[in-house]
């Protein structure tokens, strides 16, 4: 079975150093999560070591994307230069391994006009098939009107936007996630809970802002089985009673504009739950490499829990091929 994994992370030395050099209060402390074990070396590699890891895991294609927080937490001038450099490096990697790699474009969201320009610059590059984004850049949410041109451009170019989790704002961290030891504070605000609330909230804000009514071709991808939204979708849909400006009910946008990725969580019960709320055509396999490490047996076992062979192929590769335009590789 051909396997495409769509959320596989990497970074550059320049971006890593720039993020760590930010002053206290502006620094994204989640970068510390990149320091465990052999993760630093794996993040910096988009060459032979990565392809060997893919071979060992039975993954045919990775769509690579910058590890959080990308360049979102950087001042505009730095973000522009480092985003461009990262996108060029990703293109070079795809040129070296055209049958194995594609990339999500990194955008300098602290400069909205430059972000549009960078998306347009990479539009004709074979390497770039989507966008990796976050729910905020500084204090500015993705649904801010200043980003509407960017989202319109992504829709026009048919570049799906992956909304990745990010650490909550400092005030939210202090109010909702503080009071423990530093390690527990960080874990609770990131992978333990806060990350997922942030990504889910960003998506709800896009819906409520009418983004998908203005840009019906815009496609969003959420990791971790929908960042908790599928589990609360019945409740979330009650927003429809106040969001009377929308063309559809809130829950209906999950059938037309939102895709769900596994993020390394190959858990059959999560798959069964997702299928209660969305179509198998909207479920994508992602490994969240190198933070998770897929293996061939786990992938095969997970796919075999699907009802039939056609559905296995959809989740393993066909949905990604359709969404990201991957019918021609190599």
């Amino acid at each position: 079975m051909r396997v495409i994994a769509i959320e596989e992370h990497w970074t550059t030395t320049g971006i890593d150093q720039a993020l760590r050099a930010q002053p206290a209060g502006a620094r994204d402390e989640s970068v510390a999560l990149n320091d465990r074990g052999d993760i630093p070396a794996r993040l910096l590699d988009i060459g032979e070591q990565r392809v060997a890891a893919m071979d060992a895991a039975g993954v045919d294609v990775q769509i690579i994307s910058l590890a959080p927080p990308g360049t979102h937490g950087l001042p505009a001038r730095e973000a522009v230069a480092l985003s461009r450099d990262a996108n060029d490096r990703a293109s070079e990697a795809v040129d070296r391994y055209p049958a194995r790699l594609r990339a999500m474009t990194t955008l300098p969201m602290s400069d909205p006009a430059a972000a549009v320009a960078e998306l347009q610059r990479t539009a004709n590059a074979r390497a770039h098939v989507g966008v990796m984004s976050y729910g905020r850049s500084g204090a500015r949410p993705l649904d801010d009107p200043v980003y509407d041109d960017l989202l319109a451009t992504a829709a026009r170019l048919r570049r799906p936007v992956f909304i990745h989790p990010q650490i909550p704002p400092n005030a939210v961290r202090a109010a909702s996630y503080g009071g423990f030891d530093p390690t527990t504070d960080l874990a609770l605000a990131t992978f333990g809970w806060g990350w997922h609330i942030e990504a889910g909230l960003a998506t709800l804000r896009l819906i409520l802002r009418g983004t998908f009514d203005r840009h019906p071709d815009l496609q969003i991808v959420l990791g971790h089985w929908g960042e908790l939204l599928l589990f609360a979708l019945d409740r979330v849909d009650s927003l429809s009673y106040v969001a009377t400006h929308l063309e559809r009910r809130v829950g209906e946008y999950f059938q037309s504009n939102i895709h769900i990725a596994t993020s390394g969580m190959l858990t059959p019960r999560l798959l069964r739950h997702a299928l209660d709320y969305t179509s198998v055509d909207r479920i994508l396999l992602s490994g969240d490499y190198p933070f998770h490490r897929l293996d061939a047996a786990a992938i095969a076992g997970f796919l075999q829990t699907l009802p039939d062979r056609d559905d296995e192929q959809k989740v393993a590769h066909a949905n990604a091929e359709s969404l990201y335009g991957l019918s021609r590789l190599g």
Side-chain angles (χ1 to χ4, degrees):
M1 180 78 70
R2 178 173 169 78
V3 172
I4 298 174
I6 71 155
E7 179 201 0
E8 318 310 311
H9 295 302
W10 73 292
T11 194
T12 70
T13 301
I15 289 172
D16 184 68
Q17 291 175 345
L19 290 169
R20 295 173 193 271
Q22 295 306 299
R27 186 183 309 120
D28 188 315
E29 295 182 14
S30 69
V31 176
L33 300 175
N34 297 353
D35 294 337
R36 297 165 292 166
D38 64 352
I39 287 175
R42 288 179 180 268
L43 280 174
L44 291 171
D45 177 78
I46 47 175
E48 291 183 9
Q49 181 186 19
R50 181 170 295 252
V51 173
M54 292 166 60
D55 290 340
V59 173
D60 296 283
V61 180
Q62 278 191 359
I63 301 180
I64 60 174
S65 57
L66 280 190
T71 59
H72 277 53
L74 297 175
R77 180 174 295 183
E78 238 180 333
V80 170
L82 289 170
S83 296
R84 186 182 184 98
D85 176 67
N87 292 329
D88 289 346
R89 288 173 184 250
S91 291
E92 291 167 3
V94 172
D95 286 343
R96 290 194 302 272
Y97 302 98
R100 307 302 301 276
L101 298 177
R102 288 295 184 272
M104 295 189 198
T105 304
T106 299
L107 298 177
M109 299 294 280
S110 45
D111 184 336
V116 174
E118 183 64 7
L119 181 56
Q120 292 172 329
R121 185 181 78 88
T122 61
N124 295 321
R126 170 178 61 176
H128 294 271
V129 296
V131 172
M132 173 57 73
S133 187
Y134 298 83
R136 286 176 291 103
S137 179
R140 189 159 50 194
L142 185 58
D143 64 283
D144 189 293
V146 75
Y147 291 125
D148 201 59
D149 187 26
L150 174 65
L151 297 172
T153 303
R156 177 174 55 81
L157 295 175
R158 299 195 177 278
R159 294 293 188 268
V161 178
F162 196 116
I163 300 181
H164 195 280
Q166 69 185 132
I167 200 166
N170 289 339
V172 175
R173 282 192 66 193
S176 299
Y177 300 99
F180 301 96
D181 62 273
T183 300
T184 304
D185 279 0
L186 182 61
L188 184 61
T190 56
F191 60 84
W193 191 251
W195 264 352
H196 313 296
I197 296 295
E198 291 296 307
L201 178 60
T203 303
L204 283 181
R205 290 183 62 97
L206 286 173
I207 294 172
L208 294 173
R209 187 75 72 173
T211 305
F212 302 111
D213 293 339
R214 292 191 304 280
H215 313 300
D217 291 333
L218 179 64
Q219 298 297 310
I220 297 296
V221 183
L222 286 174
H224 305 100
W225 293 103
E227 305 297 359
L228 304 176
L229 285 177
L230 289 187
F231 297 95
L233 194 55
D234 291 331
R235 186 69 167 174
V236 164
D237 193 51
S238 65
L239 288 166
S240 305
Y241 296 112
V242 296
T244 54
H245 59 288
L246 298 178
E247 294 178 3
R248 286 171 284 165
R249 295 185 63 85
V250 169
E252 291 179 22
Y253 294 94
F254 287 80
Q255 305 299 323
S256 57
N257 299 93
I258 297 169
H259 304 256
I260 307 299
T262 61
S263 300
M265 303 166 66
L266 303 187
T267 309
R269 69 177 179 274
L270 296 178
L271 172 62
R272 292 193 297 271
H273 182 273
L275 290 173
D276 284 339
Y277 289 92
T278 192
S279 163
V280 70
D281 301 297
R282 290 189 166 267
I283 297 176
L284 301 155
L285 189 71
S286 67
D288 204 9
Y289 178 91
F291 304 104
H292 289 273
R293 310 285 170 82
L294 296 178
D295 66 71
I299 294 171
F302 170 74
L303 293 173
Q304 286 167 8
T305 65
L306 284 155
D308 58 52
R309 182 76 172 178
D310 286 344
D311 289 345
E312 290 180 37
Q313 292 188 16
K314 287 178 180 179
V315 175
H317 64 91
N319 290 344
E321 289 166 344
S322 176
L323 182 62
Y324 290 100
L326 302 180
S327 56
R328 297 184 185 89
L329 287 171

